[in-house]
Amino acid sequence: MLKHRRALAWLLALACIAGAAVALFDIETPLRPFLISLFLLVVPGAAVVGLLRDRDPLAALSVGAAASLVLNVLLAQAMLLFNAWSPRAGVATVAVLGGFMYVLRVLYRGKSMQTEQGARAR
């Protein structure tokens, strides 16, 4: 079961990377709408779910999906408001924000790991 879950996670990650590459390099493919949509919906949601560890999985998944939609809508609204509509910039912004949230997750887990190790030493 764990192998299937890990394989699915890797497949999803590769599809998201492909979606970002397709959007950023303007590659024409029949899978373009699917891959870009997958990237825009999964990356922010996965980043938020990663920050919500030790929570109910269904609640974390719901919050991640809502955060993903909110982030995309706010980004689109901001680009329209400032008359700076650019699909490439939108994908790049989502990638940067997702990466920033991933760094926060790593720092947060590193801090909690140090705290747990300190508690074990006592």
Side-chain angles (χ1 to χ4, degrees):
M1 181 71 173
L2 184 62
K3 287 183 181 182
H4 296 300
R5 182 179 282 180
R6 188 164 288 180
L8 182 62
W10 275 103
L11 182 65
L12 189 62
L14 289 175
C16 287
I17 292 168
V22 163
L24 292 174
F25 299 115
D26 201 24
I27 299 169
E28 291 297 327
T29 177
L31 294 175
R32 181 183 174 102
F34 173 74
L35 290 173
I36 294 174
S37 298
L38 186 70
F39 172 80
L40 289 174
L41 292 174
V42 169
V43 168
V48 169
V49 168
L51 292 172
L52 296 174
R53 65 187 189 109
D54 300 332
R55 303 282 191 253
D56 176 40
L58 185 59
L61 195 61
S62 299
V63 169
S68 181
L69 291 173
V70 166
L71 178 80
N72 284 304
V73 168
L74 287 176
L75 178 61
Q77 287 289 334
M79 289 189 337
L80 289 173
L81 179 68
F82 295 114
N83 200 20
W85 182 258
S86 170
R88 285 182 181 171
V91 168
T93 303
V94 168
V96 167
L97 289 173
F100 177 70
M101 286 189 270
Y102 179 75
V103 168
L104 285 177
R105 175 183 170 191
V106 169
L107 291 175
Y108 177 68
R109 286 198 176 182
K111 180 180 176 182
S112 66
M113 293 288 273
Q114 290 172 355
T115 306
E116 289 173 7
Q117 289 175 355
R120 286 185 200 154
R122 293 180 190 165

